[in-house]
């Protein structure tokens, strides 16, 4: 879901209106579509092949379900910004951060996704903003998240 544009006359550094969810929508659509297509194809093949037993047919369907599950897992990442902070959902982890914990939002050329520099000295990947398929959208989303972090947290504009 693209970040909404700031209201005319609003402070451009304040970012979009909260709550806002950043996720790679095109990548998600492609992954889920391919997963459903693989499942449908394997299920059709399993039903059309003569001479297969029930167990062999089930293995085709289970293989399709496995592919769909992996692709659904890959489509899971998102970043949700709310008044209380940011929730980063990556492949297998979910982490909620207070705004004050985010020192910097980085998306450098060649980065596969946004990296959040945190107050404890660590870096957290935010896979929900990734420039792979929609680079310009990822750049806009990274700038919007950066503006939110600066206006709500410890960024340069809040000091």
């Amino acid at each position: 879901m693209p970040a909404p544009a700031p209201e005319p006359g609003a402070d451009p550094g304040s970012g979009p209106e909260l709550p806002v969810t950043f996720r790679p929508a095109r990548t998600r659509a492609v992954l889920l579509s391919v997963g459903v297509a693989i499942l449908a194809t394997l299920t059709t093949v399993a039903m059309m092949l003569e001479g297969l037993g029930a167990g062999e047919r089930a293995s085709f369907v289970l293989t399709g379900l496995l592919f769909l599950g992996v692709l659904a897992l890959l489509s899971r990442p998102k970043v949700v910004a709310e008044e209380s902070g940011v929730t980063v959902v990556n492949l297998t982890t979910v982490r909620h951060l207070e705004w004050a914990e985010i020192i910097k939002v980085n998306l450098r050329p060649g980065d596969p996704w946004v990296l959040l520099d945190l107050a404890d000295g660590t870096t957290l990947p935010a896979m929900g903003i990734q420039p792979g398929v929609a680079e310009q959208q990822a750049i806009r989303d990274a700038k919007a998240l950066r503006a939110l972090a600066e206006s709500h947290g410890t960024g340069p504009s809040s000091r």
Side-chain angles (χ1 to χ4, degrees), residues 6-55:
E7 295 292 321
D11 175 16
S14 65
E17 194 174 313
L18 296 176
V20 63
T21 300
F22 304 103
R23 76 173 352 140
R26 288 184 193 161
T27 301
R28 180 178 169 84
V30 168
L31 288 171
L32 293 176
S33 297
V34 168
V36 169
I38 289 172
L39 175 60
T41 301
L42 288 175
T43 301
T44 302
V45 168
M47 298 308 145
M48 292 182 70
L49 287 176
E50 296 178 14
L52 292 182

Side-chain angles (χ1 to χ4, degrees), residues 5-6 11 20 29-30 36 58 84 89 110 112 118 129 142 146 148 152-153 155:
D11 175 16
V20 63
V30 168
V36 169
S84 64
V89 179
L118 304 179
I129 303 174
R146 182 178 300 129
L148 286 168
H152 289 82

